[in-house]
Amino acid sequence: MLELKIIEDYLPIRRKSRPGIKRPETRALVVHYTGGPGHTAKIVRNWFRIIGDSKDKYSAASSNYIIDLNGDIYEIIPKEEISWHGGGRSYTDLAKKLFTTPKGYIDPNLYSIGIEVCHPDATGKFTDESLEGLRRLLLYLRSIYGNIPIIRHHDITGKLCPLWFVQHPEEWNKFLKSLEA
């Protein structure tokens, strides 16, 4: 198995951020961008913690990992547990194929690991360091879970996430190719 430095900074168990439920299976790795230009992993983690304590009955959000602007990798929910990262109002055919439960409903959170990546500006383009951190984490996770799909949040719901890779699909494909080398 690939060795990797991961900073463990777990969220407390809360229904709307870290429910503390183990996933039955891992079928995909899902890449997101934080949506907050210049936000660090610490800011994003604390935002997830605040959501976990929120009284708003509709909000739930988290991820298993956050890649910081400098490439540091934070695990904020253990990789075996559910995080609230892949939900949507509607789902793509790929999501239906990958994430349909035995009961017939679609639940990406039940079957995937969520990875948020910090970015410096409104373009959503990752820094070289954060992109390298993402690359190393994906290779590490594949060394555990096998050659499972690596997809964008966009591929599940159509959301513009991660923005840069949705607006520049050739860059996404180039990044995926770099994982095969």
Side-chain angles (χ1 to χ4, degrees), residues 67-134:
I67 312 295
D68 212 344
L69 292 164
N70 67 1
D72 285 349
I73 301 165
Y74 289 81
E75 184 175 39
I76 63 168
I77 295 177
K79 63 184 165 296
E80 303 84 11
E81 290 183 20
I82 290 172
S83 64
W84 303 125
H85 68 92
R89 290 189 179 97
S90 63
Y91 293 102
T92 64
D93 288 341
L94 177 62
K96 292 171 187 172
K97 178 181 170 190
L98 285 173
F99 306 124
T100 298
T101 70
K103 293 184 178 181
Y105 63 91
I106 302 159
D107 191 346
N109 299 316
L110 196 58
Y111 298 113
S112 64
I113 293 174
I115 304 164
E116 291 279 351
V117 184
C118 298
H119 54 94
D121 59 42
T123 67
K125 185 175 183 181
F126 303 153
T127 63
D128 290 344
E129 294 83 4
S130 61
L131 198 59
E132 178 59 19
L134 176 62

Side-chain angles (χ1 to χ4, degrees), residues 30-181:
V30 182
V31 177
H32 303 263
Y33 85 127
T34 61
H39 288 177
T40 63
K42 183 176 181 178
I43 290 170
V44 175
R45 183 219 177 267
N46 287 340
W47 183 75
F48 288 147
R49 184 190 50 75
I50 290 166
I51 286 175
D53 293 336
S54 168
K55 302 288 186 234
D56 178 354
K57 65 181 181 179
Y58 299 107
S59 295
S62 57
S63 66
N64 299 85
Y65 294 93
I66 305 169
I67 312 295
D68 212 344
L69 292 164
N70 67 1
D72 285 349
I73 301 165
Y74 289 81
E75 184 175 39
I76 63 168
I77 295 177
K79 63 184 165 296
E80 303 84 11
E81 290 183 20
I82 290 172
S83 64
W84 303 125
H85 68 92
R89 290 189 179 97
S90 63
Y91 293 102
T92 64
D93 288 341
L94 177 62
K96 292 171 187 172
K97 178 181 170 190
L98 285 173
F99 306 124
T100 298
T101 70
K103 293 184 178 181
Y105 63 91
I106 302 159
D107 191 346
N109 299 316
L110 196 58
Y111 298 113
S112 64
I113 293 174
I115 304 164
E116 291 279 351
V117 184
C118 298
H119 54 94
D121 59 42
T123 67
K125 185 175 183 181
F126 303 153
T127 63
D128 290 344
E129 294 83 4
S130 61
L131 198 59
E132 178 59 19
L134 176 62
R135 188 187 71 72
R136 288 184 290 115
L137 178 61
L138 291 169
L139 290 171
Y140 167 76
L141 292 170
R142 274 192 162 174
S143 76
I144 296 168
Y145 296 104
N147 196 28
I148 60 176
I150 297 169
I151 60 176
R152 304 164 296 180
H153 189 190
H154 174 77
D155 300 317
I156 298 173
T157 64
K159 182 177 179 180
L160 297 177
C161 175
L163 181 64
W164 178 263
F165 281 141
V166 172
Q167 293 179 336
H168 300 88
E170 71 285 354
E171 292 293 321
W172 176 247
N173 291 330
K174 179 179 169 185
F175 175 70
L176 291 177
K177 285 266 190 222
S178 77
L179 298 171
E180 297 171 9

Side-chain angles (χ1 to χ4, degrees), residues 16-28:
K16 294 187 293 178
S17 57
R18 181 186 171 196
I21 301 167
K22 290 202 179 225
R23 275 191 323 284
E25 184 181 354
T26 302
R27 299 179 184 171

